[in-house]
Amino acid sequence: MEDFPQLIVMLTHNDLTIPDAEAVFEQCRNSPAAWFGFKEEPLPLEQMKALCHRMKDCGKHTTLEVVAYSEEEGLEGALLAVECGFEMMMGTKYSPAIHAICKKAGLKYMPFVGRVEERPSILYGSALEMLEEARALAEAGVDGIDLLGYRSPEDADLLIREFVAHCPLPVCVAGSINDYGRLDTLRACRPWAFTIGSAFFENHFGGPINEQIETVCQYMQTPLTNTENTGDTARPAAKDKSAEDRAAETKKETTC
């Protein structure tokens, strides 16, 4: 594993795969990002299979993120990931039946922790509760955790730092990573990986997507300053907000 967080480029916007995902991938297939993925909706099966295979032909690692909260939907997502030939499946609420499909197919499995609702997803729960869940998932033998950290209406930076610091499994921080302040948090706490999708398509990191990917990859490999190592990154302090206000703002954000 590299000593800096890995970018997973998600060809998605608002928790859905973009219609022209194949064409967009061709624009950025030579980018330094090693991982690419998309969601289980709404592309037709054959188009999903073709895109996954194209990514692999270009030397990329592949992941399908399944935004599903019932076991039935999770099982459908796992079977879809297997049929398409993905290397890893992120998302779903853990169940032994979903895990069994993944293990049989050699598919890495990184389920959600916490209480996840709606689409785009919102994450509820404390870092302590999620860590207890992650320890149980580690005993069950999953490959990692899909943490929707910035989908939390609480102090997301603190939640992510605490969870990554104490989680016994690799962590992918997914959803709403849309500015350099959030990248700084990830540079400081060093999860295994993180996803960006919507922010690229809204040009939060520059112009063409291939240039944005290169910018983010280079930024994540920049050595931390002493200030950043302490977690005191130089960005404006946010005003105090109620939990209800934070929840309302979180619901409005897009996820990757």
Side-chain angles (χ1 to χ4, degrees):
M1 186 169 65
E2 304 291 346
D3 62 355
F4 53 86
Q6 295 292 295
L7 168 63
I8 301 177
V9 178
M10 296 296 289
L11 301 180
T12 60
H13 190 258
N14 290 338
D15 262 3
L16 296 169
T17 305
I18 57 173
D20 57 344
E22 293 168 290
V24 172
F25 176 72
E26 293 302 321
Q27 296 172 26
C28 52
R29 62 186 174 86
N30 293 321
S31 73
W35 283 86
F36 278 76
F38 49 94
K39 297 290 200 295
E40 85 284 10
E41 294 182 2
L43 294 186
L45 173 60
E46 292 306 315
Q47 194 172 342
M48 293 177 67
K49 290 167 68 173
L51 178 54
C52 181
H53 291 163
R54 176 59 175 159
M55 290 174 172
K56 293 165 75 173
D57 288 344
C58 292
K60 303 300 184 182
H61 297 292
T62 57
T63 186
L64 180 71
E65 187 173 30
V66 178
V67 184
Y69 312 132
S70 71
E71 182 176 72
E72 181 180 1
E73 291 172 326
L75 289 168
E76 291 175 358
L79 292 171
L80 181 62
V82 171
E83 184 169 359
C84 289
F86 282 95
E87 179 178 344
M88 180 170 74
M89 183 178 76
M90 298 169 57
T92 80
K93 289 301 294 180
Y94 176 81
S95 88
I98 296 172
H99 195 188
I101 290 174
C102 295
K103 287 194 291 186
K104 182 176 180 181
L107 178 70
K108 295 177 183 177
Y109 182 32
M110 299 182 71
F112 295 134
V113 289
R115 193 173 85 252
V116 184
E117 300 177 359
E118 305 186 42
R119 187 168 191 153
S121 303
I122 299 178
L123 173 68
Y124 297 98
S126 68
L128 180 61
E129 292 167 336
M130 294 179 207
L131 283 167
E132 290 178 355
E133 187 177 352
R135 293 183 188 105
L137 290 172
E139 292 182 4
V142 303
D143 299 285
I145 299 297
D146 185 350
L147 178 69
L148 301 175
Y150 285 112
R151 305 308 303 156
S152 170
E154 306 303 326
D155 185 335
D157 286 314
L158 180 60
L159 185 153
I160 292 167
R161 289 176 185 274
E162 290 184 352
F163 187 87
V164 172
H166 299 289
C167 183
L169 291 165
V171 178
C172 178
V173 179
S176 295
I177 298 168
N178 52 22
D179 62 39
Y180 287 99
R182 294 181 175 187
L183 291 181
D184 286 342
T185 294
L186 302 183
R187 288 167 66 219
C189 69
R190 293 183 179 275
W192 166 67
F194 64 100
T195 69
I196 297 180
S198 291
F200 284 145
F201 298 108
E202 294 170 5
N203 301 108
H204 283 249
F205 298 102
I209 186 170
N210 59 315
E211 294 179 9
Q212 292 187 75
I213 293 170
E214 185 166 355
T215 294
V216 169
C217 287
Q218 290 179 351
Y219 188 79
M220 295 306 290
Q221 297 178 51
T222 304
L224 290 167
T225 66
N226 290 334
T227 300
E228 289 170 328
N229 268 315
T230 65
D232 185 20
T233 52
R235 55 183 186 269
K239 295 180 180 179
D240 289 339
K241 298 174 183 176
S242 67
E244 291 80 6
D245 289 340
R246 293 194 298 267
E249 289 187 356
T250 300
K251 194 170 182 179
K252 290 179 182 177
E253 288 186 345
T254 56
T255 69
C256 51

